[in-house]
Amino acid sequence: MSLANDGLFREMRWFTPWHGWSKWVHFSLPATIQEITGQESVPFGDLVLEALDTLIGLEMCEELFTPSNPGTQLSLSGCEIICNSSASHWQIRKLRDRLRLIQGSSKKNGSLYLYANQQGCEGEGREYFDGCALIAINGDIVAQASQFSLNDVEVCSATVDLDEIWDAWYPPARRMQVEGAPTYEHIKLGVSLTSVQQNPLLGPQLSAKRPAIVVEPEEEIGLAAGCWIWDYLRRSGQAGAFLPLSGGIDSAATAVIFFSTARLVYAAVQNGNQQVIRDMLRVCAEQPDSEWRPLTPQELCKRIFHTCFMGTQNSSEETRSRAKQLASAIGSWHIDMNFDIIVRSFTTLFTTLFGRTLRFRSEGGSNQEGLALQNIQSRVRMVLSYLFASTLTIVRGREGGGNLLVLGSANVDECLRGYLTKYDCSSADINPIGGISKGDLSNFLCFAKTEYSLDILESFISATPTAELEPITNDYVQSDEVDMVSTFRSPFIPFPPDFRVLSHRHIY
């Protein structure tokens, strides 16, 4: 047995893998179970299920990704059906890897491969599992469930001819390896999985072979993160979400992802999904028997999604206008504000205590002073975000009040590069783009501009990424790529040595 023990997983912290092909033991049952079943023990270990007409082997999740997966040994030992019960979390482009491994295993070994995967958030909500159950025979897909869905459970089925597997087992080279295959203990089921054809001359009505459905990465982002946000929101019991909307690509992508959530929920409601309808009514503070239904995704956003442009004297009218137009396009409940008065209270306190005034570099101050002034603005935004998240439902008169989830908008390039301020927009309840690169986010916005009919996104895509934490002058506008001394296209490749570095932004 192989356990996942890298990346997000540490299974060996809790479990010990079972070693050895085909090894098993008699496991003694507790006395209470013996009294009920009349059975003293059960076989435990690496075994095969034997139906009256076929053999079924099992491999688990991570084992599909290993060089010597159990499916190969089970197939050589005579198993026609291989089942995989998986909890494989979503990553961009990961489905392509799964398909390659599932189809490759099924074709190479000659087997009917049944793949089931968890769907929705795990216990803590840090991961999203994207479902996409599959059935493949000899490398061909004959059934595929949806990869991104708000359904709690999805079932897919297919009708296949097991004789096709025997045809795949014919090559002599395969039969040579059968001689060295392990011998497995069988657990007899006493049931048949095949049906008797009423008219053998007509042949079985088999499921048609079909190409796998794989969405492009830019579409994956909206669907996966959208499903994840809804599952997290409905399970957390919160009243909606709050996002500081700056007018840049990252916060815009986060806002559009939430709009994708609203689109998914709206579509499920239109299709009569009763579970989604119950969850939506509860999140929107409607009574369980309410007949209210959103007429558009924007109407749903207006009820549960809150955005705020938190400007200062360093903010441009362009970013303020972009944020306002995007909020209007997706229907969020939007606030447009300045908080210079709070920043001045910090700088005034500093001057009162120490008798000196902090200045930006453009005003004659040092780089260290400038960083301190930038970070005041960033961190005040976080404090304001949590203030609004805990009070806006009161302001809006939501029945029962309730808190909002604060959404973060720090992409993975900035996190890995260290280009962020601790306790700013990188600090939130959940961060939908925390594992997505700037390049993929830009591609997602290009996709959403057309698919979601959000023309305003063009102005975000073409804008220069900037934190807008320093004063704008006639010859200087702050740039993220200059600050972090590299580009988002190649975030870990620094500019050439002769490039004139205008500023550095560090974490303090």
Side-chain angles (χ1 to χ4, degrees):
M1 174 180 288
S2 300
L3 298 179
N5 210 55
D6 60 345
L8 297 176
F9 299 103
R10 292 295 180 271
E11 292 181 353
M12 292 188 69
R13 181 181 297 173
W14 311 105
F15 305 104
T16 299
W18 186 266
H19 292 292
W21 302 116
S22 72
K23 290 186 177 181
W24 66 284
V25 297
H26 284 291
F27 180 78
S28 298
L29 295 171
T32 52
I33 297 180
Q34 291 186 29
E35 292 178 4
I36 297 172
T37 64
Q39 186 177 357
E40 295 182 356
S41 66
V42 293
F44 184 93
D46 193 14
L47 303 114
V48 165
L49 302 179
E50 180 183 343
L52 297 176
D53 42 15
T54 187
L55 295 180
I56 306 167
L58 308 171
E59 66 179 13
M60 293 178 60
C61 196
E62 179 73 6
E63 293 176 324
L64 171 65
F65 294 84
T66 57
S68 180
N69 63 308
T72 299
Q73 302 300 324
L74 291 163
S75 176
L76 290 173
S77 298
C79 290
E80 298 165 302
I81 302 174
I82 306 298
C83 300
N84 185 314
S85 177
S86 188
S88 182
H89 66 282
W90 172 78
Q91 289 177 318
I92 297 178
R93 306 174 182 89
K94 187 177 182 180
L95 179 59
R96 291 167 172 78
D97 291 335
R98 284 195 213 129
L99 286 168
R100 175 175 52 81
L101 292 168
I102 291 170
Q103 291 181 277
S105 177
S106 174
K107 183 174 181 60
K108 180 184 71 172
N109 297 327
S111 65
L112 175 65
Y113 202 99
L114 310 181
Y115 177 83
N117 189 31
Q118 184 175 338
Q119 187 163 277
C121 293
E122 45 75 60
E124 296 181 359
R126 297 192 307 159
E127 303 164 292
Y128 175 71
F129 297 87
D130 53 330
C132 199
L134 291 166
I135 301 177
I137 182 169
N138 294 342
D140 295 313
I141 302 295
V142 290
Q144 179 181 358
S146 63
Q147 185 182 8
F148 306 108
S149 170
L150 300 185
N151 296 323
D152 285 337
V153 177
E154 283 198 45
V155 177
C156 65
S157 61
T159 302
V160 299
D161 185 357
L162 293 180
D163 286 346
E164 293 183 17
I165 295 172
W166 283 82
D167 294 339
W169 287 0
Y170 171 74
R174 184 188 190 281
R175 297 201 300 272
M176 293 176 190
Q177 293 192 348
V178 168
E179 296 178 2
T183 301
Y184 290 86
E185 183 73 13
H186 291 193
I187 299 177
K188 297 183 182 296
L189 302 179
V191 297
S192 176
L193 300 185
T194 57
S195 61
V196 178
Q197 188 70 23
Q198 296 295 328
N199 187 346
L201 297 178
L202 295 177
Q205 299 299 310
L206 303 179
S207 299
K209 297 175 175 60
R210 48 182 287 183
I213 300 172
V214 183
V215 301
E216 293 302 314
E218 52 267 28
E219 186 176 4
E220 276 191 84
I221 293 172
L223 294 173
C227 289
W228 172 65
I229 287 177
W230 180 249
D231 202 22
Y232 195 103
L233 178 59
R234 73 185 182 111
R235 289 169 46 182
S236 68
Q238 303 302 296
F242 177 88
L243 171 69
L245 186 56
S246 69
I249 281 183
D250 293 333
S251 63
T254 306
V256 175
I257 284 172
F258 195 94
F259 183 59
S260 176
T261 298
R263 286 166 51 91
L264 289 164
V265 173
Y266 173 76
V269 170
Q270 292 293 103
N271 291 330
N273 187 316
Q274 294 303 309
Q275 179 63 57
V276 173
I277 291 173
R278 287 192 296 271
D279 291 333
M280 180 201 66
L281 292 175
R282 177 172 49 81
V283 172
C284 293
E286 294 285 339
Q287 295 299 317
D289 58 352
S290 171
E291 296 184 1
W292 174 79
R293 302 291 185 270
L295 299 179
T296 63
Q298 285 84 351
E299 183 180 352
L300 179 58
C301 270
K302 186 69 73 175
R303 296 285 292 267
I304 63 175
F305 189 36
H306 307 72
T307 54
C308 178
F309 181 83
M310 300 180 181
T312 67
Q313 61 185 3
N314 301 319
S315 303
S316 67
E317 284 303 316
E318 289 81 1
T319 54
R320 186 186 300 272
S321 175
R322 285 201 299 267
K324 186 175 182 179
Q325 291 181 66
L326 178 57
S328 176
I330 65 177
S332 65
W333 198 85
H334 188 64
I335 306 168
D336 189 336
M337 60 165 285
N338 278 5
F339 62 94
D340 289 307
I341 186 174
I342 302 177
V343 175
R344 283 196 296 271
S345 68
F346 277 93
T347 56
T348 300
L349 175 63
F350 183 89
T351 301
T352 302
L353 289 174
F354 303 111
R356 61 180 298 167
T357 301
L358 295 173
R359 293 183 176 88
F360 288 100
R361 284 176 307 158
S362 61
E363 300 169 340
S366 65
N367 185 57
Q368 187 172 348
E369 289 177 84
L371 287 172
L373 288 171
Q374 290 184 61
N375 290 339
I376 289 173
Q377 300 166 69
S378 299
R379 289 168 178 151
V380 166
R381 287 184 174 125
M382 185 207 72
V383 175
L384 287 173
S385 293
Y386 277 94
L387 171 64
F388 293 157
S390 60
T391 57
L392 284 182
T393 56
I394 300 174
V395 172
R396 300 188 63 188
R398 181 184 187 273
E399 184 178 351
N403 295 319
L404 305 174
L405 290 174
V406 177
L407 304 184
S409 56
N411 66 65
V412 71
D413 293 334
E414 294 174 342
C415 294
L416 294 177
R417 188 72 169 78
Y419 180 70
L420 53 88
T421 301
K422 289 188 293 187
Y423 312 117
D424 66 342
C425 70
S426 60
S427 298
D429 295 319
I430 57 175
N431 183 5
I433 66 170
I436 305 173
S437 70
K438 193 88 163 186
D440 281 329
L441 289 175
S442 296
N443 293 337
F444 166 61
L445 290 185
C446 291
F447 167 83
K449 173 192 168 186
T450 302
E451 292 299 317
Y452 299 176
S453 300
L454 298 173
D455 293 337
I456 182 59
L457 292 179
E458 179 60 38
S459 62
F460 286 86
I461 297 166
S462 59
T464 300
T466 173
E468 290 195 335
L469 295 172
E470 294 184 282
I472 299 173
T473 66
N474 292 331
D475 58 357
Y476 177 72
V477 176
Q478 188 175 17
S479 165
D480 288 352
E481 292 188 330
V482 173
D483 280 358
M484 70 179 192
V485 205
S486 62
T487 66
F488 283 109
R489 181 169 296 180
S490 303
F492 301 104
I493 301 177
F495 287 137
D498 59 347
F499 185 88
R500 181 168 175 263
V501 179
L502 300 178
S503 65
H504 292 275
R505 187 173 173 213
H506 301 285
I507 303 173
Y508 289 107

